[in-house]
């Protein structure tokens, strides 16, 4: 699949709901939970994490953490993202939830909350070959979008090409070669096992549009990169994203019987997105429709009017124009005082 990150629209898909082994692409959900904890304040980048014997025992891709080794959360995130460290993933899972099993339970809950209907996790790193550890290209795109849209700080790690660990003694090299060789690449995660073959969730940004390309079960590591590039190139060459916004500042709307005379109108940037084939984005026209007045009370976010985007008379997008603030209704006492102030008493 290839998905537009801003709107969540799929631009192309093939076998998008086929269940496959995700391998280390699993770690995208692990990273979501890590950044959820960072956002909530229950975890900090400079917190220290002690490696357990279980975390040390992980095979596959790893950074060779020793039992009892102490690293910061920030360093372990780097190890997960850049080197796809299974040991670092388990160490973080145990630190956040006390055990990998409990962490995986939260991973599945989070997946369910995102509507990932064909996904089930057994571990936090994707090393398992359990037939119960499965996902789909669609679901991977959904969780990839969740990570990059709601946790944009992840790009600070996913765009690293090379780095070091343990004061320069251990070299980290990004498993995602697109970071080095594809223009605009921003991430995100590779994966490979004997059962999964080779997969990738690749993200890239050009001209203000960020795309997510997911490839699963590719026969070789290089082929997954070539397929991801083909998907991204298709998306960038064929589609464009327009942020519809008023060509001139929106006027305030008068409010009748309100504690203020008018309410400022606005367009939410998140609602004013038009994704279409590039040929459809030429010669766009905008029309603003607002009422002569609004009756109090007006709540922040209430729809006041519409911004309509058309091309050759055809409506392509209708964006609600909302109240930027709340204006309460005058009480009887306030109306009386206001009336009294406007009256002139002559002797």
């Amino acid at each position: 699949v290839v998905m537009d990150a801003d709107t969540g629209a799929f631009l192309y898909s093939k076998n998008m709901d086929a269940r496959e082994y995700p391998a280390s692409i699993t770690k995208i959900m692990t990273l979501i939970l890590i950044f959820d904890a960072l956002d909530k304040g229950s975890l900090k980048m400079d917190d220290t994490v002690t490696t357990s014997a279980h975390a040390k025992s992980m095979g596959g891709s790893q950074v060779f953490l020793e039992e009892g080794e102490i690293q910061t959360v920030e360093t372990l995130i780097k190890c997960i993202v850049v080197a796809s460290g299974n040991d670092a993933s388990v160490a973080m899972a145990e630190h956040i939830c006390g055990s990998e099993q409990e962490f995986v339970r939260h991973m599945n809950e989070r997946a369910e909350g995102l509507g990932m209907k064909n996904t089930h996790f057994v571990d936090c790193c994707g090393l398992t070959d359990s037939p119960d550890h499965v996902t789909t290209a669609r679901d991977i795109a959904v969780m990839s979008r969740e990570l990059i849209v709601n946790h944009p700080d992840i790009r600070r790690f996913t765009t690293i090409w090379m780095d070091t660990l343990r004061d320069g003694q251990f070299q980290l090299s990004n498993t995602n070669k697109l970071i080095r060789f594809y223009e605009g690449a921003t991430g995100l995660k590779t994966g490979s096992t004997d059962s999964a073959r080779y997969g990738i969730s690749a993200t890239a940004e050009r001209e203000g549009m960020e795309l997510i390309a997911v490839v699963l079960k590719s026969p070789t590591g290089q082929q997954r990169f070539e397929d991801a590039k083909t998907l991204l190139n298709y998306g960038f060459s064929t589609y464009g994203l327009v942020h519809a916004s008023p060509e001139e500042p929106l006027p305030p709307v008068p409010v009748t019987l309100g504690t203020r005379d008018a309410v400022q109108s606005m367009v939410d940037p998140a609602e004013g997105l038009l994704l279409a084939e590039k040929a459809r984005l030429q010669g766009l026209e905008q029309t603003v429709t607002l009422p002569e007045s609004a009756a109090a009370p007006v709540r922040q976010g209430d729809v006041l009017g519409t911004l309509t985007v058309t091309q050759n008379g055809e409506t392509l997008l209708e964006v609600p124009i909302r109240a930027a603030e709340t204006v309460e209704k005058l009480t009887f006492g306030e109306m009386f005082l206001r009336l009294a102030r406007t009256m002139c008493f002559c002797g």
Side-chain angles (χ1 to χ4, degrees), residues 22 70 125 139 147 153 173 204 274-276:
I70 298 173
C125 58
D139 286 358
L147 181 59
D153 198 39
S173 180
L274 174 59
L275 175 73

Side-chain angles (χ1 to χ4, degrees), residues 98-119:
S99 70
E100 183 184 9
Q101 182 180 10
E102 179 63 12
F103 187 85
V104 171
R105 186 178 71 81
H106 286 282
M107 290 172 66
N108 285 314
E109 284 182 354
R110 195 70 161 83
E112 184 179 355
L114 290 172
M116 297 167 59
K117 297 179 181 179
N118 291 301
T119 295

Side-chain angles (χ1 to χ4, degrees), residues 20-341:
E20 303 289 353
Y21 294 112
S24 285
I25 296 175
T26 298
K27 296 183 177 81
I28 294 174
M29 183 57 76
T30 297
L31 290 164
I32 288 174
L33 294 192
I34 291 172
F35 277 84
D36 283 349
L38 287 166
D39 284 355
K40 287 186 288 189
S42 59
L43 187 70
K44 294 182 173 58
M45 284 289 187
D46 57 359
D47 285 351
T48 57
V49 179
T50 302
T51 305
S52 70
H54 176 56
K56 170 187 162 52
S57 71
M58 292 298 108
S61 55
Q62 55 185 304
V63 293
F64 300 98
L65 296 173
E66 294 293 336
E67 183 179 357
E69 182 174 346
I70 298 173
Q71 295 288 353
T72 65
V73 167
E74 184 170 16
T75 296
L76 291 178
I77 292 174
K78 190 186 303 182
C79 292
I80 295 168
V81 172
V82 179
S84 196
N86 295 320
D87 45 2
S89 299
V90 174
M92 282 301 307
E94 292 175 333
H95 181 77
I96 292 173
C97 287
S99 70
E100 183 184 9
Q101 182 180 10
E102 179 63 12
F103 187 85
V104 171
R105 186 178 71 81
H106 286 282
M107 290 172 66
N108 285 314
E109 284 182 354
R110 195 70 161 83
E112 184 179 355
L114 290 172
M116 297 167 59
K117 297 179 181 179
N118 291 301
T119 295
H120 184 264
F121 298 114
V122 172
D123 70 7
C124 69
C125 58
L127 187 60
T128 179
D129 280 333
S130 167
D132 295 327
H133 190 92
V134 292
T135 189
T136 66
R138 181 204 296 270
D139 286 358
I140 289 172
V142 168
M143 72 172 175
S144 298
R145 179 176 184 241
E146 173 70 11
L147 181 59
I148 65 174
V149 171
N150 291 319
H151 301 301
D153 198 39
I154 189 64
R155 292 172 183 81
R156 184 160 65 88
F157 300 92
T158 57
T159 53
I160 294 172
W161 173 235
M162 299 190 78
D163 210 322
T164 59
L165 179 65
R166 305 183 185 98
D167 298 323
Q169 296 179 22
F170 188 85
Q171 186 80 32
L172 298 176
S173 180
N174 204 321
T175 59
N176 180 10
K177 307 310 177 188
L178 297 183
I179 294 298
R180 178 73 170 81
F181 298 108
Y182 187 80
E183 179 189 352
T186 57
L188 185 64
K189 194 72 199 71
T190 60
S192 66
T193 63
D194 289 342
S195 299
R197 306 300 292 151
Y198 297 89
I200 187 171
S201 176
T203 58
E205 186 173 10
R206 292 182 186 174
E207 299 178 356
M209 182 167 67
E210 189 162 25
L211 300 181
I212 301 164
V214 180
V215 177
L216 293 176
K217 214 164 188 178
S218 188
T220 68
Q222 185 58 34
Q223 188 62 51
R224 67 179 164 189
F225 295 130
E226 294 303 321
D227 289 344
K229 286 193 290 185
T230 298
L231 287 169
L232 293 170
N233 287 340
Y234 166 76
F236 286 127
S237 64
T238 307
Y239 290 86
L241 186 68
V242 171
H243 294 259
S245 60
E247 296 169 348
E248 298 180 0
L250 289 172
V253 175
V255 177
T256 56
L257 299 179
T259 53
R260 298 177 62 179
D261 293 332
V263 60
Q264 183 58 51
S265 54
M266 59 161 282
V267 168
D268 185 343
E271 294 181 310
L273 296 175
L274 174 59
L275 175 73
E277 294 183 11
K278 288 186 174 180
R280 301 268 291 167
L281 297 177
Q282 305 300 317
L284 299 180
E285 297 180 353
Q286 293 186 358
T287 304
V288 172
T289 304
L290 285 170
E292 293 184 1
S293 64
V298 178
R299 303 297 177 195
Q300 183 178 19
D302 282 355
V303 176
L304 299 174
T306 306
L307 171 68
T308 305
V309 180
T310 61
Q311 182 192 59
N312 299 326
E314 180 187 354
T315 299
L316 300 183
L317 182 68
E318 290 185 336
V319 186
I321 298 175
R322 300 184 181 276
E325 56 204 338
T326 294
V327 178
E328 299 291 354
K329 187 175 182 179
L330 286 170
T331 65
F332 179 79
E334 289 169 332
M335 284 190 284
F336 179 80
L337 288 173
R338 180 175 289 190
L339 178 64
R341 292 191 194 103

